[in-house]
Each structure stands twice: as C-alpha cells, then as structure tokens.
Amino acid sequence: MKPFILLLKIQLLGLFGINKTLHADPAKAKRTLALAALVVAAVVLFASAYSAGVAQGLVQIGLAEAVPLVAVLVGAIAGAVAAFLKTNGVLFGFKDYDLVMSLPVPTSSVVLSRIASLYAMSLLFGVLVMVPAFAVYASAAGVSAVGVACMALSIVLAPLLPLAAAVVLAVLIAAVSSRFKHANVAVIVLTLAATLAAVFGSFALSGQSDDLAALSALGAQLTGQLAAIFPPAAWATAGIVQGDLVQFAAFAAVNIAAAAAVFALVVRLFVPVNSLLMSSRPRGTFSFDGDKGAGAKSSTPFRALMVKELRLLAATPIYFMNACIGYVLVLVAAVAVAVGSATGMLSLDLLPPAYAPFVGALLPWALAFFCAISSTAASVSLEGSARWLMLTAPVSPATVLGAKVAVNLAIAVQCLAVSAVLMAVSLPLDALSVAALFAVPLAASMLAACLGLALDARSPKYDWTSVYEPVKRGVPVFAVIMIGMVFCVL
C-alpha cells in the first residue's frame, strides 16, 4: 500500500506540474501557483454556471426529473474524454517507463497509481458538472435523504464505467500503434469526427424550436433515448429520483466490476504494450546500393524541416487537435454555410433588416476567433530530448523556427482561402467584408503562430515525459489562446 500511495502522490503532483513548480525558484513558484489558482477558479466558475444553467433550463420546460440523468451521463462522459486524452501519456508511451519499472515496487502498484490519477481527473470533471446540476434539481424538486446519498455516490461511481471504456480503447490504440505505422492518423480522424458531431449536434438541438411545449416533448424524447443508450445512468436516476436502491445497486455494481476488470487487463498488458512502444523498428528502405542513393531526390533545408514538422503533427493526435481544430471548424462551417445557402435553408433575408449589415462586419471576427486559438505554440518544446539535432544542424535558427511557423501558416492559408471563397460566394457581402474574410482571420493566424513560437522558444519545456504536458499545460499554448481570445473580443 505504501508504494501505491507514494506513486499516486507523485502522479497527482505531476499532473499539472505542481511538483516541479514547488521545487523551482520560490518566487517563480508563488507566481505560477497564483496564476494557476486564478485559472482554476475561472474554470470552476464557468463550468458550474453552465451546468446550473442547463439544469435550470430543463426545470423550466418541465423536465426536472431528467436533470439527474443528464448530469450523470454528461459528468461520466466528460471525465472519460479527459482520461482518454491523457491515457496514452500516463499508462502507455511515457518517457520514464524504464526508470519507473526499475523501482522496487510491483507492477500492480504502478498501474493502480496511474489509473487512480486518471480517475482523479475524471472525478474532478464529474464534480464540476454534476454538483451544480444536482443542486438545481434538489431546490426545484426536493430530494429525500436516500436521494442525497445516491447523488453523492453517483458522483464517485459514475466515472468508473466510462473510464474503463476509455482505458480499454487506449489500450487497443496503443497495441495497434505499436505495429501499425499510421494508427495515429486513424485516431485523428476519429477524434475530429467526434468533435464535429458534438459541436454541430449541440447547434442542431439548440435550434429545434422556441415553443415551450415542443421543447418539452423533444427533451422527453431525447432523455428517453439517452436512458436507452446508457442504462446505468437511468439506474442511477431511479435511485436519486425514486429512491430505488435495487436499480442504484445495479448501477454501482456495473461500475465497480468494469473498473476491476480493466485494472486486471491493464496489469496484464502494461509491460508487453509498453515494451512494444519503447522498442524501435526500422521501417526505412536503406540500401548499400550506391546507384539507388544517388537517385534520391534532394530537398532544401527549409523544406526538409517543414516535412519534419508535418510528420510530427500527423504523428501526435493531441498536438494536431490543439493546432488544427480551429481551422477544421472554420472550414466545416464554411461548407455548411455554402450548402445552406444553396438549398435555401440559410439566407440573410430571414434576419431583421437592421441586423443584416452587421453580418459582414462580425463574420470575419468569428472566423478569426477560431484561428487565434489554433497554433503550433508547443513546437519548440516538442523537440524534447532530440533538440540537439536542431541545435547542431548546419542551418540558421531562422530556418529552423521559420519552418515551424510556415507549417502553421500553410494549414491556415489553405483552410482560410477555401472558407472565405465559399462564404463570399454564398452570402451577399460587400467588397470590404469579402476582403476582411481573408485578411482578418489570416492576421489572427499569424499572431497565434508567431506569438506562440516566440514564447515557446523563449522558455521551452524540454523535460516532458508525455506530449500532453507541453501541448495542454504549456504556458505558451495557454498565453496564445487567452491573448487570441482577447484580441478578437476587443
């Protein structure tokens, strides 16, 4: 038990870089922790307000009993997604695997400590989503003592089953990627599809109807479908709303059993899968035949470095999502506008006459918002322990850094050109608005690309053990997102 507690402590302290911050410069540590506390407070406030607002909306349309179902389901899924994104840096493919496995502790303790850290993250997301919703439900409908106990237990238990599913999926991806060269491309495609489905699905639901009775009927239908798709959430709801302890016991048993089964699976596969991921297998076409080597195509250093950056982007799904999701959303939105305009489903004539002129003024900034939060701001840090290759390459720093900016802008320019043309053709905009459709988002992209690179090159984070650290927790990435949002809002 003691090895598990020590390993879990290290995992939790390292989850957000707290451990390193505490052992760094004291003054810098205080500033960093104070900034982190402000960010956490803002996230908690926003998530709580949003969750409470959604719950209040359900109560107002007469679906108060659906609030626990939606809360359990959303809290569980949000935690599972957060855990899935981090599993391949915590359970598999972490750089200090050899060091960890050389410690005099059993493999089960290592696995349990890492799964526990993933569970802690899932639980945190569950608390942010479920507690405000439960509070709204309790104030609107009243809850018995049994219901309150079921609420508390559901917060603890709800993440287990989705977390187990996320870990199993991550195990499969890790096992496949150890043998399949292009597995990361499949992960990127699936993640993009899921993100787009969630975004446009929420828009579709929000625009269904303004009639209260119609909304209530639609909500009742959707909650019934959700209960059929994920029965454990319905079992938990029965315990909270009706005090049905039998169904709630089934909910608890399924979650605990799933967590235990996945723990046993990961303990069994932890060493084999990590060993495959850590081993290097050459896939090149090296030959001692001099004629073949002489016929190889040459490339300029700048182009070669761009190709290297593009390969890194394609090989790192979480990096790709951070750097490109804004451009993908812009492109998909432009296609949706073009299709809507061509089919007559979307027209500026539907807006009040006084509002129509504002579309041309606001649309470029809406596109710029998504471009400003998408950048390869972690590109320097991702060099990691291989940074010596760039430092010793016979090229200037401008070539190395310029290639990183060029990759970001190459993606931005192509997506923005297509998107702007589609929107300019589909909407009746004046010449200035059409020019702004090109210029404003491109300016936001250049700001994000150059600012992110400057910040990352100034204080790179090379000692990461998982790409999640520089991509999701790096100061340059956070600064670019916040500055980009402020830039567009102002």
Side-chain angles (χ1 to χ4, degrees):
M1 180 58 71
K2 186 176 180 180
F4 162 71
I5 294 175
L6 292 175
L7 289 171
L8 178 60
K9 179 182 176 182
I10 293 172
Q11 284 294 308
L12 293 177
L13 288 176
L15 200 59
F16 298 101
I18 298 174
N19 196 38
K20 183 179 178 181
T21 302
L22 291 174
H23 292 84
D25 179 58
K28 183 179 179 181
K30 290 181 180 179
R31 293 194 299 270
T32 303
L33 292 176
L35 178 61
L38 289 176
V39 173
V40 170
V43 171
V44 170
L45 181 62
F46 175 79
S48 301
Y50 185 81
S51 177
V54 172
Q56 191 63 44
L58 290 173
V59 170
Q60 289 178 355
I61 62 175
L63 293 175
E65 292 188 355
V67 172
L69 173 69
V70 175
V72 171
L73 187 61
V74 174
I77 293 176
V81 171
F84 172 74
L85 293 175
K86 196 161 174 59
T87 296
N88 277 326
V90 173
L91 281 174
F92 304 106
F94 52 97
K95 289 174 63 177
D96 54 352
Y97 169 75
D98 292 333
L99 175 63
V100 172
M101 295 308 294
S102 67
L103 298 173
V105 296
T107 302
S108 59
S109 296
V110 175
V111 173
L112 184 59
S113 66
R114 290 175 176 268
I115 290 181
S117 68
L118 295 175
Y119 170 73
M121 177 175 289
S122 299
L123 183 62
L124 175 62
F125 278 87
V127 169
L128 289 178
V129 173
M130 297 168 71
V131 169
F134 284 156
V136 170
Y137 171 73
S139 62
V143 186
S144 64
V146 174
V148 172
C150 290
M151 283 182 182
L153 289 174
S154 65
I155 295 173
V156 177
L157 295 172
L160 290 177
L161 180 58
L163 174 63
V167 171
V168 170
L169 183 58
V171 169
L172 293 176
I173 291 174
V176 171
S177 63
S178 65
R179 298 183 178 275
F180 178 41
K181 184 177 181 180
H182 301 292
N184 287 323
V185 177
V187 175
I188 289 173
V189 172
L190 292 174
T191 307
L192 280 176
T195 303
L196 294 175
V199 171
F200 289 99
S202 63
F203 283 140
L205 290 177
S206 63
Q208 288 289 333
S209 174
D210 292 329
D211 182 70
L212 188 61
L215 281 176
S216 180
L218 176 64
Q221 180 183 358
L222 289 177
T223 53
Q225 292 174 352
L226 291 176
I229 293 172
F230 192 64
W235 302 340
T237 303
I240 295 170
V241 176
Q242 305 167 11
D244 190 336
L245 295 181
V246 174
Q247 291 196 53
F248 192 85
F251 163 75
V254 167
N255 280 275
I256 295 173
V262 168
F263 172 69
L265 174 67
V266 175
V267 169
R268 185 177 182 83
L269 298 179
F270 184 73
V271 174
V273 172
N274 273 297
S275 298
L276 285 173
L277 290 173
M278 295 298 153
S279 63
S280 60
R281 296 175 303 283
R283 296 189 179 96
T285 56
F286 174 78
S287 172
F288 285 103
D289 189 341
D291 294 335
K292 291 183 180 180
K297 293 183 179 180
S298 61
S299 177
T300 63
F302 187 81
R303 183 176 179 181
L305 288 171
M306 281 192 65
V307 171
K308 168 187 170 295
E309 291 297 321
L310 286 170
R311 286 176 175 172
L312 174 64
L313 198 64
T316 317
I318 192 170
Y319 180 40
F320 179 90
M321 291 297 294
N322 234 53
C324 301
I325 187 60
Y327 302 128
V328 173
L329 290 174
V330 166
L331 185 59
V332 172
V335 172
V337 168
V339 173
S341 178
T343 58
M345 297 175 61
L346 178 66
S347 175
L348 295 184
D349 295 336
L350 300 176
L351 293 175
Y355 291 168
F358 291 102
V359 174
L362 294 178
L363 189 57
W365 291 101
L367 301 184
F369 178 85
F370 292 105
C371 295
I373 61 175
S374 301
S375 79
T376 52
S379 58
V380 176
S381 294
L382 286 175
E383 297 291 346
S385 58
R387 63 188 182 277
W388 65 272
L389 293 172
M390 296 296 98
L391 296 175
T392 58
V395 293
S396 66
T399 302
V400 175
L401 299 179
K404 295 179 181 297
V405 172
V407 167
N408 193 318
L409 293 182
I411 298 171
V413 168
Q414 295 181 69
C415 291
L416 291 176
V418 174
S419 302
V421 168
L422 287 174
M423 290 190 174
V425 171
S426 304
L427 300 174
L429 303 175
D430 56 40
L432 182 60
S433 297
V434 171
L437 277 177
F438 289 89
V440 173
L442 181 59
S445 298
M446 295 181 68
L447 170 66
C450 297
L451 178 63
L453 181 70
L455 294 174
D456 198 31
R458 181 178 177 83
S459 56
K461 180 182 178 64
Y462 292 128
D463 57 344
W464 48 267
T465 58
S466 167
V467 293
Y468 189 93
E469 297 174 31
V471 172
K472 285 296 185 183
R473 300 201 300 265
V475 173
V477 175
F478 175 75
V480 166
I481 291 175
M482 296 304 298
I483 292 174
M485 292 171 64
V486 172
F487 167 72
C488 292
V489 170
L490 292 179

